Amino acid sequence: FMPGQGDTRGTTAQPVDPKLAALVVEGGPTATSAVLPDNPAIDAANGSCPSVDQRGVARSRGPSCDIGAYTGRNPGIIQSRGRCRPAPNRL
């Protein structure tokens, strides 16, 4: 890893809050951590993005897609106490 402009780095004495929910199994091949609403990874990707996240959930499209293995704002997902679950059908 090579630090770059705009990177945020913490230390043991002053750690950086990653703004991630707990690591849980929410589908897909491995456990994932949901990005919290104030996570800087939301809409921060440059360039093209995969059509689905690590869980196989379609990535929502804002100004850009989210950085990482987890799509943060999917209209079919709601977050409760750090866990994500399908939203109830509201037809």
Side-chain angles (χ1 to χ4, degrees), residues 1-11 14-19 40-41:
F1 173 76
M2 295 297 296
Q5 182 178 354
D7 287 351
T8 301
R9 297 175 62 188
T11 65
Q14 292 183 309
V16 174
D17 179 1
K19 299 181 190 303

Side-chain angles (χ1 to χ4, degrees), residues 16-21 33-40:
V16 174
D17 179 1
K19 299 181 190 303
L20 296 172
S33 294
V35 293
L36 298 178
D38 59 344
N39 189 302

Side-chain angles (χ1 to χ4, degrees), residues 47-64:
S48 64
C49 303
S51 60
V52 296
D53 70 11
Q54 181 173 314
R55 303 164 299 150
V57 173
R59 289 189 179 270
S60 57
R61 300 290 180 187
S64 183

